[in-house]
Amino acid sequence: MIEFHLDARSGVPTYLQLAQQVRQAVRLGILKPGDQLPTVKDVVGSLAINPNTVLKAYRELDHEGIVEGKRGQGTFVAPNLPSLPPDHVRGLRTSLQKWIDRARAAGLDDENMAALFADAVRPASKVRAA
Amino acid sequence: MSALVASRLGKRYGSNWALSECTLDVPSGSVTALVGPNGAGKTTLLHLAVGLTRPSTGTVSVLGRSPIHDAAAVLPSVGFVAQDHPLYKSLSIADTFKLGRSLNKNWDDGFARARIDHLGLPLSKKVGQLSGGQQAQVALTLALAKKPELLLLDEPVASLDPLARREFMQSLMEVVAERELTVLLSSHIIADLERVCDHIVILARGRTQLVGAIDDVVAKHRLLTGPRSDSAAVARVHNVIRESHTERQTTLLVNANGHVYDSCWQLHEVDLEEIVLAYLGQRAELSA
Amino acid sequence: MTWAAWRLQRTETLVTAAIVAAVAAVLVPVGLHMASVYNGDHISRCLNAPKDSNCGAVVGDFLQRFDGLNALIGWFNLLPGVIGVLLAAPLLLELENGTFRFAWTQSVTRRRWIAGKLATVVAVALVAALALSQLVTWYRRPLAHLDGRLETASFDFAGTVDFGYVLFAVGLALVLGVLMRRTIPALFVGFVSYIVARLFVDSWLRQRLLTPLSATWKSSALGPNLKTAWVLNEGPSDRFGHFLHPAFHSIAVPCGKGQGCIVAPPSVYQHAVYLPASKFWALQGLETALFGGIALALILFAAWWIHERVA
């Protein structure tokens, strides 16, 4: 079960933050197809936010096909989602950690590492879009 | 459908108008924030809505009825928690619930007990021995146990510490999630309200300054910065809420009517707190 | 609403009951004793044979024996005042503490709430008044046979006046409370006002409510039986019933051994101004109506004021 958190000062609307966290959780395998998302009541009970905000987030995820709402039962992660097999994720994570260690040893701080990654990713996505 | 409609509502105490020309509409099912400085008329408005006071001018109707003339029909559907949540200090929580049952037609005792249980409060404890936060929770339970359609809260968390405030709001939102309930709550703490509310009413100097859905309000207000100039051109098209000038720069906070086309201005989004403060007529504070 | 009204008045009701119980605890044992002495010594015989000198002594003895407690009963007159202001307190405290805002936003209308609260106050007040008057009346039965019920000490607790007294105290406290907006001072001022009003009526007004009767008779004759009447004024007078100046009440004559003797002139008349026992209920009715009427006006005013009150 996923637990939401809220960054009230990030400038990102609350419902988008919730949706983002669900997508992230699905990507990382924390949420698997068929898993139930927390009920609206549970979410607002822990975050003290308006229920409509949660509904908006879940609706958006429903439109994207990531979750589906079942009347009277709750909201569930969609059954046929392409998600990365866990082994791949683990392997990639390990090699990423190794790269981070090398970068730190070379004297890069977090911002530099992020800039490097952003720069490297851009040509890749441009290629994909073309 | 509106849960509460005020039309040019006004209340005068002696020669002092606590509220005047107040016109607003609280949509059914919304959680509406009522913000304004002390003395702005928030308490007066809530008291008018619940029939504790008679209007001097204008009208107010709650769930389609007059709270003064139709009190017997309105009261069972409206839950109210007054400022400082007055309760009988010498009664135990259990006796307070018996009081609630005695004074209300629809009283859900099971709900009240379950809620108090969930909050971890012993039924036999005297209300006077509870902390401020706990008393606020008891007062809220009482207002909710009569199964109202509209809930009016007058600064329910003003005297509570941050944890108690958070718990109160969590609790309140859980109830809103489970049932058809319209909430109108007044508060100073705009950050709290932004999480919890979807509509806002800004009261200042006894008048309604702004009424609307929070998403719309935030979408329509913009901060304009640019070289020092006159705001007249902008003011012809949009509502300038606040303007300030330095030697070289002018800053305007506007309620935009459509797109701002003038290219000499830089546009910034504004958060709700800034918007509210501008309407309250205060200088913007840097957020902490 | 009913449960709420009673529960919020629980303490005051219990204190009132305790006061009545305390009065009973004092009066019942002595009353039983007094009744047994009265019956045992056959004092009732004396009612019909007033000239029996033995009777005079026996009755005098009896009265003196139980005199002490009778003085105490005078102090019981404070109790309707205490009970009245006490019962007004919960309602006033609601207004002072702001808890009425809670009560008026449940599901009962203001009118219903005020009526319900006042009903419980009046109910307890009337029951307490009934209990007190019944207790004292029962206690005083032997004395009433001898002295009548019009004497101040007796009258104050007989018949219906106590209902008027208690409600008057309630009304005073309520009106003072809604005007002063502070409960404790209102109760205090209300209680003091009650005492002042009672003293005024007891010592001055009561005897002027009805026209008294007069009688003039020769001192040597028997005169009317004024035992159970309320004698307002009695003394030597002339033939026409005009009271004599005290200087003429007696003359000094030499009297053996060269010492002065005081004797009453033999041909003087006696005159009395009095209210007969038959006027008991008329007087009760008037005084009850007086206090009760004012009480009703005060209570209704307070109710109206509260109803119109801006929160």
Side-chain angles (χ1 to χ4, degrees), chain B residues 29-243:
Chain B
S30 70
V31 180
T32 300
L34 182 61
V35 297
N38 291 331
K42 305 194 295 285
T43 298
T44 305
L45 174 59
L46 291 172
H47 284 189
L48 285 164
V50 84
L52 282 174
T53 284
R54 218 178 279 267
S56 303
T57 59
T59 59
V60 58
S61 88
V62 172
L63 303 168
R65 298 180 129 111
S66 161
I68 295 272
H69 303 298
D70 277 331
V74 168
L75 282 176
S77 311
V78 177
F80 177 66
V81 180
Q83 214 161 11
D84 296 335
H85 18 86
L87 295 167
Y88 298 95
K89 302 282 192 286
S90 60
L91 293 187
S92 66
I93 298 181
D95 272 352
T96 307
F97 287 166
K98 281 203 200 131
L99 203 69
R101 192 178 335 134
S102 173
L103 293 172
N104 284 296
K105 285 185 280 198
N106 319 321
W107 175 260
D108 189 345
D109 206 49
F111 167 84
R113 285 169 182 269
R115 199 159 184 279
I116 289 299
D117 205 39
H118 179 60
L119 293 163
L121 299 173
L123 279 169
S124 57
K125 199 155 186 195
K126 285 205 200 305
V127 167
Q129 292 171 339
L130 297 174
S131 71
Q134 292 169 328
Q135 285 183 8
Q137 289 282 18
V138 171
L140 181 61
T141 306
L142 281 162
L144 291 170
K146 66 193 271 204
K147 298 276 188 243
E149 290 174 48
L150 172 65
L151 185 65
L152 304 173
L153 305 172
D154 192 355
E155 307 228 16
V157 294
S159 56
L160 304 187
D161 64 70
L163 180 61
R165 272 205 329 255
R166 175 56 61 94
E167 286 174 338
F168 185 92
M169 289 302 183
Q170 284 169 332
S171 208
L172 179 62
M173 288 299 104
E174 279 180 336
V175 176
V176 173
E178 309 190 280
R179 52 161 103 158
E180 295 288 312
L181 182 64
T182 310
V183 180
L184 175 62
L185 75 137
S186 77
S187 179
H188 285 141
I189 304 158
I190 302 169
D192 269 357
L193 295 175
E194 202 166 354
R195 287 169 89 98
V196 150
C197 300
D198 46 41
H199 280 72
I200 187 164
V201 172
I202 303 180
L203 266 186
R205 298 171 287 281
R207 285 162 182 272
T208 42
Q209 307 286 341
L210 180 71
V211 177
I214 291 182
D215 285 348
D216 288 344
V217 165
V218 171
K220 285 175 63 187
H221 284 75
R222 288 286 180 270
L223 197 70
L224 271 51
T225 55
R228 173 83 194 241
S229 63
D230 193 316
S231 63
V234 176
R236 270 199 288 275
V237 187
H238 309 285
N239 294 324
V240 176
I241 308 302
R242 186 187 64 202
E243 60 181 279

Side-chain angles (χ1 to χ4, degrees), chain C residues 2-307:
Chain C
T2 318
W3 186 90
W6 283 104
R7 176 61 184 82
L8 291 172
Q9 196 183 272
R10 195 174 68 174
T11 312
E12 289 75 13
T13 307
L14 289 174
V15 171
T16 303
I19 291 175
V20 171
V23 168
V26 166
L27 290 184
V28 168
V30 181
L32 288 171
H33 179 55
M34 187 163 71
S36 77
V37 167
Y38 185 81
N39 293 328
D41 292 356
H42 305 295
I43 296 178
S44 48
R45 278 188 296 114
C46 288
L47 291 173
N48 299 320
K51 273 303 191 185
D52 182 345
S53 62
N54 189 40
C55 252
V58 165
V59 168
D61 232 14
F62 179 80
L63 286 173
Q64 201 171 14
R65 195 165 163 186
F66 296 101
D67 202 39
L69 198 51
N70 295 335
L72 181 63
I73 292 181
W75 288 98
F76 285 176
N77 272 303
L78 294 176
L79 295 179
V82 171
I83 292 172
V85 303
L86 190 66
L87 290 173
L91 183 47
L92 295 178
L93 283 172
E94 290 244 26
L95 298 173
E96 191 177 348
N97 294 339
T99 47
F100 71 97
R101 287 195 194 95
F102 167 78
W104 291 2
T105 53
Q106 300 308 300
S107 298
V108 291
T109 59
R110 227 183 258 206
R111 183 169 296 187
R112 173 98 180 75
W113 183 83
I114 293 172
K117 284 260 188 185
L118 287 177
T120 49
V121 166
V122 168
V124 176
L126 292 180
V127 168
L130 180 69
L132 281 178
S133 67
Q134 288 302 304
L135 274 170
V136 176
T137 306
W138 168 84
Y139 168 83
R140 279 201 60 97
R141 252 174 335 146
L143 299 167
H145 285 146
L146 297 173
D147 266 352
R149 295 180 297 172
L150 280 170
E151 290 289 331
T152 297
S154 193
F155 191 82
D156 284 346
F157 282 97
T160 56
V161 281
D162 276 293
F163 298 129
Y165 297 157
V166 182
L167 293 178
F168 175 67
V170 169
L172 274 177
L174 283 178
V175 168
L176 286 166
V178 299
L179 294 177
M180 291 168 73
R181 295 184 169 232
R182 301 274 308 283
T183 306
I184 305 291
L187 297 186
F188 182 69
V189 174
F191 182 59
V192 169
S193 310
Y194 164 84
I195 294 174
V196 168
R198 285 293 313 278
L199 285 173
F200 170 69
V201 170
D202 269 27
S203 61
W204 192 89
L205 186 61
R206 185 180 292 162
Q207 59 208 62
R208 289 168 173 76
L209 287 176
L210 289 173
T211 319
L213 300 177
S214 322
T216 314
W217 66 99
K218 275 184 127 107
S219 312
S220 50
L222 202 52
N225 184 351
L226 298 175
K227 281 264 179 309
T228 55
W230 184 18
V231 177
L232 301 174
N233 213 342
E234 184 179 1
S237 74
D238 66 15
R239 202 156 36 103
F240 304 106
H242 304 126
F243 284 113
L244 292 182
H245 190 280
F248 295 109
H249 284 191
S250 53
I251 46 177
V253 295
C255 183
K257 295 189 187 160
Q259 290 178 323
C261 254
I262 312 287
V263 293
S267 62
V268 146
Y269 291 82
Q270 283 279 107
H271 183 74
V273 179
Y274 65 100
L275 280 168
S278 56
K279 293 287 184 188
F280 173 76
W281 282 111
L283 199 56
Q284 279 277 325
L286 279 172
E287 193 160 324
T288 308
L290 175 69
F291 279 101
I294 296 177
L296 187 67
L298 290 171
I299 292 174
L300 287 177
F301 175 78
W304 171 82
W305 183 278
I306 295 172
H307 186 268

